[in-house]
Amino acid sequence: MAWAPSLCPAQPGPCLTFPLYPATGAQQSATVANPVPGANPDLLPHFLVEPEDVYIVKNKPVLLVCKAVPATQIFFKCNGEWVRQVDHVIERSTDGSSGLPTMEVRINVSRQQVEKVFGLEEYWCQCVAWSSSGTTKSQKAYIRIAYLRKNFEQEPLAKEVSLEQGIVLPCRPPEGIPPAEVEWLRNEDLVDPSLDPNVYITREHSLVVRQARLADTANYTCVAKNIVARRRSASAAVIVYVNGGWSTWTEWSVCSASCGRGWQKRSRSCTNPAPLNGGAFCEGQNVQKTACATLCPVDGSWSPWSKWSACGLDCTHWRSRECSDPAPRNGGEECQGADLDTRNCTTDLCVHTASGPEDVALYVGLIAVAVCLVLLLLVLILVYCRKKEGLDSDVADSSILTSGFQPVSIKPSKADNPHLLTIQPDLSTTTTTYQGSLCPRQDGPSPKFQLTNGHLLSPLGGGRHTLHHSSPTSEAEEFVSRLSTQNYFRSLPRGTSNMTYGTFNFLGGRLMIPNTGISLLIPPDAIPRGKIYEIYLTLHKPEDVRLPLAGCQTLLSPIVSCGPPGVLLTRPVILAMDHCGEPSPDSWSLRLKKQSCEGSWEDVLHLGEEAPSHLYYCQLEASACYVFTEQLGRFALVGEALSVAAAKRLKLLLFAPVACTSLEYNIRVYCLHDTHDALKEVVQLEKQLGGQLIQEPRVLHFKDSYHNLRLSIHDVPSSLWQSKLLVSYQEIPFYHIWNGTQQYLHCTFTLERVSPSTSDLACKLWVWQVEGDGQSFNINFNITKDTRFAELLALESEGGVPALVGPSAFKIPFLIRQKIISSLDPPCNRGADWRTLAQKLHLDSHLSFFASKPSPTAMILNLWEARHFPNGNLSQLAAAVAGLGQPDAGLFTVSEAEC
């Protein structure tokens, strides 16, 4: 039998205990009174406040209140069981008008209490009040867990309707408690039927437009909301189209022939009304023609010149002609030219004498012409000098990008050669200035970089061309500080651990940020011959770059910049970076985002819908993606979950102090994206904190189910250790993990040693997502001398230098690469061409992309280089090429030593 409250009156007398019996039949929700036989029924308790139905939102407990008069005791009963007395909050008072005792009781109901009976029956509570005259039960209050499903049962669909036709957009909201309210958005503006009588919403939540208007052309979204969440349906594009109608005919045009038989026309246009939004065009002809005839015009022509007249006293004679051969008629043109011609003549009877004033005028004119020519020459010289000064001012100092570099060093491959060959590039021969678009911001002038065409490095068989710094710390910091003065680069990180840079020419090369999985492959001939570019590669922290995420989108990769943007590339470069998504076309919609010059982010590629001629292309693998791009910039891979099955990989790491000098011992559990860059950041942080890895890292698949991540510690030996955790588990909210922009997400478990001599720790630590995946760690080690897990992270560190230039950046020797390309690029009837190579390398899903490039084989080899450097097995590639059946395939079979 359940616990039963007792009613003990204040005056002397026996203490009455009311027994509890199992409830039979259906409970009444209304107030029920049970008077004591012979007692005054007017003194039965009656409720001033009764518990009401409530909803639990997320994990917040709800409060139930009950108040009765007269009442000596009030207790709550939930699902037939009495609530413990200690869980009641009681306030006693006296009614001012009647003097009767008044009591108010409150209890809290948590989500866990409701979940215990979930699916069996509804959770309810009621309160029972006692007085000397009997008991009274309040109405039942039902406590329900509020929720709202993610997917709509029916979403609106796109429609095309003609003008004044009716529109019905159905919408059935997701299942939820309490039921969701529905509202409609037109182009993100709320649709209010009270303001527009042409629109109303049915009881089934469908949006009805009585007569379609042009203004009703928009994107419509159904929005469902309750106290828990707000859901949006997919937008439905409604297009209201208008069929075209003919205008009236124009007047007949003039006859097309100015002489003889021709034609004239008139026209009409399909503008009454004009077709809109895909409406039908007008039927029939828009031009009519008819025949016409006009008299031909006759142009006038000169008659022959008359004979010269006799020489006059002024030493001239003349001749004449007439416009009469034929004369102009029917609108013909008059004769062109003069009808009278005069010229000087010389005879014995005529002597020419020049007058003084005429000579003076001639000389003055000549002098004026000479002065004008001199002034014009001076103006041209001044303009040329000004242009030359402006041109010189456009050439910026390239030391902004070159201050961190030293001359190229080439180390011979033979071990017995102790000498180092150092090449000092001649950068004074010729210079060219790159003045392309570098995405300037609005607060400053456009930056320009001077690129130097010095000596190109000769490809040596075993050489390694590396760019190194004689003073890495000072020069790298100087490079970044000078770089940050340029407007475009103000958002670059001030440190140098997440940035690398190098100088490259047509031979290509590679940039890598160590221990991050991020690299940039610059294939041969990607940079035009005769050009030298200074290129950088940067890893950004998510909190330093504002990446807007809409709806259910989540960041799956690091945010990476390569630049400078705007440089001319003749071949795609390949940007490699990790991602933490579980790729599945049914679960994810993956998009590559790129930041524009104005700072906004744009979707430049929707994975799975790539066009062969697209500027961007992506090879997505289980844990990495390889982006082909001919435009440098800032990139990030973003995913949007299409179903609850969509999952992100989280890497779980357990760290603890290397040395414990106090009784307290902290275990930090990190929940990171399963990418190398996230791991690197935490390892660097723990080195600063003096932490060590105490368990092998594990992977947890975190689903888009809106459930939080929980962490708990168990089986701690109480005789040696004591947990200072006051609750049964810790939680990391779902959205903190899912948006992917928060770093160093972790929980700390603090244990306290009973004695300073205690050094052995054995316990279990659980990490799990509610209704999802979980991991369990069995911790058993000595906190003072056990370091067996410390080397796990050190094994994952990458070697090599951040920048490699020329042949040393590639596994495939340059000459053999050229032979493979020239042999496999031409189509082969027997199929022994680049297509078969792609199939052997499991790249046949990208054939259309490879075929769109001038050299498909070069694209395949570039991707192989990006995927397999520096540990790729060149013999396997050689075997794949040799197995194609080419006549000269033996040329491609090379060993690692020969490379």
Side-chain angles (χ1 to χ4, degrees), residues 27 30-34 47 77 126-128 135-139:
Q27 294 285 349
T31 302
V32 177
N34 295 315
F47 289 97
K77 179 189 290 185
Q126 69 176 165
C127 55
V128 181
T135 63
T136 305
K137 296 181 180 179
S138 71
Q139 65 180 5

Side-chain angles (χ1 to χ4, degrees), residues 527-813:
I527 298 176
R529 292 179 179 258
K531 299 287 186 180
I532 296 180
Y533 291 165
E534 295 161 331
I535 298 178
Y536 65 85
L537 182 64
T538 304
L539 168 64
H540 298 275
K541 294 183 178 180
E543 61 266 24
D544 296 336
V545 179
R546 183 168 183 175
L547 174 62
L549 298 176
C552 301
Q553 290 184 340
T554 177
L555 180 63
L556 297 178
S557 75
I559 302 176
V560 180
S561 291
C562 53
V567 296
L568 174 64
L569 297 175
T570 57
R571 299 284 190 277
V573 298
I574 302 179
L575 175 64
M577 53 187 178
D578 291 347
H579 69 83
C580 63
E582 283 294 311
S584 171
D586 299 330
S587 303
W588 285 105
S589 173
L590 301 176
R591 299 176 187 272
L592 180 69
K593 285 183 175 287
K594 181 176 182 289
Q595 193 172 27
S596 65
C597 299
E598 294 77 16
S600 61
W601 287 86
E602 302 171 347
D603 294 339
V604 296
L605 181 63
H606 187 180
L607 272 67
E609 300 181 4
E610 303 95 334
S613 59
H614 205 279
L615 291 175
Y616 307 93
Y617 202 83
C618 183
Q619 158 75 4
L620 186 69
E621 298 186 353
S623 60
C625 60
Y626 301 89
V627 179
F628 291 80
T629 176
E630 296 182 25
Q631 295 183 356
L632 303 184
R634 185 172 295 169
F635 297 92
L637 184 66
V638 171
E640 182 173 4
L642 301 179
S643 68
V644 182
K648 297 172 63 172
R649 296 189 314 277
L650 299 183
K651 178 156 285 189
L652 307 177
L653 296 97
L654 275 60
F655 282 90
V658 174
C660 182
T661 58
S662 64
L663 294 179
E664 288 189 353
Y665 190 74
N666 295 323
I667 299 178
R668 293 180 290 274
V669 184
Y670 288 88
C671 305
L672 316 172
H673 281 178
D674 187 18
T675 57
H676 287 85
D677 62 287
L679 180 64
K680 173 185 176 182
E681 293 291 334
V682 170
V683 171
Q684 291 178 345
L685 175 64
E686 281 295 329
K687 286 183 179 179
Q688 298 174 1
L689 298 177
Q692 66 171 339
L693 189 69
I694 62 173
Q695 277 289 306
E696 184 175 353
R698 297 189 181 179
V699 174
L700 181 142
H701 293 85
F702 191 78
K703 293 185 177 181
D704 182 20
S705 62
Y706 294 95
H707 289 295
N708 298 338
L709 189 70
R710 292 182 178 178
L711 303 93
S712 61
I713 192 166
H714 305 273
D715 300 341
V716 179
S718 58
S719 60
L720 300 176
W721 297 85
Q722 182 179 359
S723 174
K724 304 189 72 173
L725 186 65
L726 301 180
V727 293
S728 58
Y729 58 84
Q730 301 187 60
E731 275 193 338
I732 300 178
F734 169 82
Y735 289 103
H736 288 186
I737 298 176
W738 192 253
N739 62 14
T741 58
Q742 299 195 25
Q743 284 190 314
Y744 313 135
L745 284 176
H746 72 282
C747 287
T748 301
F749 293 92
T750 301
L751 304 177
E752 186 174 7
R753 292 185 287 181
V754 176
S755 169
S757 61
T758 301
S759 59
D760 292 327
L761 175 60
C763 61
K764 292 182 179 180
L765 199 148
W766 295 348
V767 183
W768 78 100
Q769 185 184 17
V770 180
E771 300 182 9
D773 190 17
Q775 290 287 357
S776 175
F777 294 88
N778 293 320
I779 301 174
N780 189 357
F781 76 112
N782 188 295
I783 65 174
T784 59
K785 53 186 177 182
D786 197 342
T787 60
R788 64 181 183 273
F789 297 105
E791 298 180 356
L792 290 178
L793 298 181
L795 295 176
E796 298 182 4
S797 63
E798 300 171 358
V801 293
L804 296 174
V805 180
S808 63
F810 305 97
K811 292 284 293 182
I812 307 173

Side-chain angles (χ1 to χ4, degrees), residues 507-510 521-524 806-813 817 865 869:
L507 293 176
R510 187 187 305 264
L521 178 72
I522 307 167
S808 63
F810 305 97
K811 292 284 293 182
I812 307 173
R817 169 191 169 93
E865 290 278 6
F869 189 87

Side-chain angles (χ1 to χ4, degrees), residues 161-206:
V161 297
S162 62
L163 194 66
E164 298 183 353
Q165 182 182 345
I167 305 174
V168 178
L169 294 176
C171 176
R172 293 171 59 193
E175 176 189 352
I177 294 179
E181 298 177 358
V182 172
E183 61 185 18
W184 284 86
L185 301 179
R186 179 197 289 130
N187 287 342
E188 303 303 322
D189 294 329
L190 182 65
V191 176
D192 189 354
S194 62
L195 301 179
D196 188 355
N198 193 42
V199 176
Y200 69 94
I201 300 175
T202 66
R203 292 182 179 179
E204 294 78 19
H205 310 300
S206 297

